[in-house]
Amino acid sequence: QVQLVESGGGLVQAGGSLRLSCAASGLTFSSYVMGWFRRAPGKEREFVAAISWSGGSVYYADSVKGRFTISRDNAKNTVYLQMNSLKPEDTAVYYCAADLNKLTIRVLADLYDYWGQGTQVTVSS
């Protein structure tokens, strides 16, 4: 049974930082592109960042580029999202997801195979 479990969310002031983690089990972690998505209240789910199976390629949404950093540790079956210079508009539930493909990083949520339950990030102004 595949499980993706996010942690690290919370309440932070604007300008602050948080580090999200997503621990995976039940899958061959190094075979998957890993992504982070978010859903803000009243908005559609949106792509945030993704990382290739090896960690050699990363891709970010324009809204977080330069502020967020995605990384992974295949030995620990964990993907991370370091979020700096947080803004109130970053407030959302953040989800990690796994995409079984080694060819390319994809940003469409429907192409991802497995999802975590999400972790709330709230940025106060």
Side-chain angles (χ1 to χ4, degrees):
Q1 181 182 358
V2 175
Q3 282 193 313
L4 302 178
V5 180
E6 301 97 335
S7 61
L11 173 64
V12 64
Q13 288 188 330
S17 298
L18 283 174
R19 188 194 195 201
L20 305 184
S21 299
C22 172
S25 61
L27 75 170
T28 304
F29 185 71
S30 60
S31 295
Y32 287 79
V33 165
M34 297 300 297
W36 285 96
F37 292 78
R38 66 186 181 187
R39 187 193 298 272
K43 294 188 176 182
E44 297 289 320
R45 180 174 51 186
E46 65 173 351
F47 170 81
V48 175
I51 186 167
S52 64
W53 66 274
S54 68
S57 296
V58 296
Y59 188 75
Y60 298 96
D62 287 343
S63 59
V64 306
K65 203 172 293 183
R67 300 187 299 123
F68 290 11
T69 302
I70 189 171
S71 61
R72 68 189 294 160
D73 185 337
N74 286 347
K76 295 183 178 179
N77 285 6
T78 301
V79 61
Y80 306 96
L81 186 68
Q82 177 67 44
M83 305 186 295
N84 298 329
S85 302
L86 283 161
K87 305 175 181 179
E89 51 263 44
D90 294 319
T91 295
V93 177
Y94 283 71
Y95 301 89
C96 73
D99 177 12
L100 181 57
N101 96 89
K102 284 191 169 183
L103 298 178
T104 186
I105 291 177
R106 304 190 287 192
V107 303
L108 294 178
D110 288 348
L111 297 176
Y112 282 70
D113 301 284
Y114 300 106
W115 291 82
Q117 82 290 348
T119 186
Q120 176 71 46
V121 171
T122 302
V123 184
S124 64
S125 57

